């Protein structure tokens, strides 16, 4: 049995789409921290000012998305 060296030939392997969902750069970590702090603080501030519950929940949702980005960065870092 012979093994060929180098990358696989064209069309043998499809690209892994999960690669794009894994945050790998420190810039992504900083982005996630900024989004989470801005979303959570903005949602709390909006709710305290009486600006409407739906907009406040939307901002908190953005903050939760930022927290998920930060957590996935550290999970991916642990796997590498």
């Amino acid at each position: 049995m012979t093994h060929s060296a180098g990358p696989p030939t064209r069309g043998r392997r499809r690209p892994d789409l999960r690669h794009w969902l894994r945050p790998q750069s420190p810039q992504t970590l900083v982005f996630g921290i900024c989004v989470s702090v801005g979303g959570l603080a903005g949602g709390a501030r909006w709710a305290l000012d009486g600006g409407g519950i739906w907009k406040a929940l939307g901002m908190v949702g953005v903050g939760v998305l930022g927290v998920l980005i930060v957590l996935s960065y550290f999970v991916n870092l642990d796997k590498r």
Side-chain angles (χ1 to χ4, degrees):
M1 176 184 260
T2 62
H3 297 283
S4 62
T9 60
R10 180 167 227 179
R12 279 184 54 196
R13 187 190 321 167
R14 66 177 196 196
D16 188 15
L17 296 178
R18 289 178 293 174
H19 170 75
W20 295 103
L21 297 176
R22 292 186 208 139
Q24 297 180 359
S25 67
Q27 290 88 0
T28 307
L29 175 65
V30 172
F31 174 72
I33 291 171
C34 292
V35 168
S36 63
V37 168
L40 295 174
R45 178 70 181 194
W46 193 272
L48 289 175
D49 286 344
I53 189 68
W54 292 112
K55 289 186 180 181
L57 284 177
M59 287 183 172
V60 169
V62 169
V64 169
L65 180 66
V67 169
L68 290 176
I69 290 172
V70 171
L71 287 177
S72 63
Y73 174 83
F74 284 113
V75 167
N76 188 30
L77 184 68
D78 187 43
K79 288 183 180 181
R80 283 193 279 160

